[in-house]
Amino acid sequence: MIYGNLKSKGRIGYFNILLIVMIPIGIYFLNIDQSLYNFSDAIKSTYLGNSFHVLNVSISKILGISDGTKFFFYEVADLKIQIFIAFAYTYHYLNWFSKTTIIGWHKKLTQKRSIVIFFLWITSVGLYFYDYKTAIALLLFYSLIHVFMELPLNVISMKQIGRTFFRL
């Protein structure tokens, strides 16, 4: 976001950067009524069985909220951490879609590619119905590949930000 805003010099970009910093602060001060949350045993079992809670526990340990050994579904801190994780994932994906015109993705989208993308999406959703654990493992693997493939772009962005601020 910073690199894009340095290139475009738009005020809305600085506002968005401010929002991305303020939302976690807002979550911290959010008043949560634990009685409004009721997770079924199936949801709890799936969440724990797939080790999703490890991220929450790790964040809790990094922030000094816990010793990093326990996770509770209804503790305020754990709920806030999960709200933050949901925000981060949602923002990441919505931000990616908002950048499609910038990266020109839509210009390279042919009918054949659209069919392939749709087929992969249907296959992924179908795999969840067939075997949830396999689907999670496969799609997490794809997510990891996505992160590694973005790394060169992140390095370029960081270099450009450094050059701008430090005149390297």
Side-chain angles (χ1 to χ4, degrees):
M1 286 178 72
I2 293 170
Y3 178 50
N5 197 55
L6 289 172
K7 286 172 59 176
S8 69
K9 297 179 177 35
R11 288 185 181 177
I12 192 74
Y14 290 113
F15 179 71
N16 288 335
I17 293 168
L18 179 67
L19 278 178
I20 205 84
V21 171
M22 295 303 294
I23 287 177
I25 293 169
I27 292 170
Y28 176 80
F29 289 107
L30 187 67
N31 186 18
I32 292 186
D33 182 1
Q34 295 144 297
S35 67
L36 297 176
Y37 295 88
N38 184 19
F39 304 108
S40 70
D41 290 338
I43 289 174
K44 290 178 188 177
S45 175
T46 300
Y47 199 78
L48 296 172
N50 288 299
S51 299
F52 287 142
H53 68 289
V54 172
L55 178 59
N56 302 61
V57 171
S58 298
I59 291 172
S60 180
K61 184 177 181 181
I62 289 168
L63 295 175
I65 297 169
S66 76
D67 63 0
T69 61
K70 297 178 182 83
F71 171 77
F72 301 102
F73 283 95
Y74 300 104
E75 288 293 322
V76 172
D78 289 316
L79 289 169
K80 287 182 179 186
I81 288 170
Q82 188 56 48
I83 289 168
F84 172 75
I85 292 168
F87 161 73
Y89 271 91
T90 303
Y91 180 84
H92 173 79
Y93 290 112
L94 292 177
N95 185 52
W96 188 89
F97 282 111
S98 73
K99 292 189 295 189
T100 56
T101 56
I102 295 169
I103 60 176
W105 182 75
H106 67 291
K107 293 177 184 174
K108 297 185 188 316
L109 188 61
T110 63
Q111 183 178 9
K112 183 178 177 182
R113 287 182 179 179
S114 297
I115 291 169
V116 169
I117 290 168
F118 182 75
F119 175 76
L120 290 171
W121 180 75
I122 288 293
T123 303
S124 298
V125 171
L127 188 57
Y128 276 109
F129 286 107
Y130 178 72
D131 184 5
Y132 186 81
K133 287 186 177 185
T134 302
I136 287 291
L138 180 64
L139 294 174
L140 283 175
F141 174 70
Y142 288 154
S143 294
L144 186 64
I145 289 173
H146 164 224
V147 169
F148 282 118
M149 290 177 75
E150 276 189 346
L151 189 59
L153 179 60
N154 294 338
V155 169
I156 291 169
S157 296
M158 295 304 287
K159 283 182 179 179
Q160 294 296 352
I161 291 169
R163 285 185 182 132
T164 300
F165 285 115
F166 303 112
R167 306 285 185 228
L168 300 174

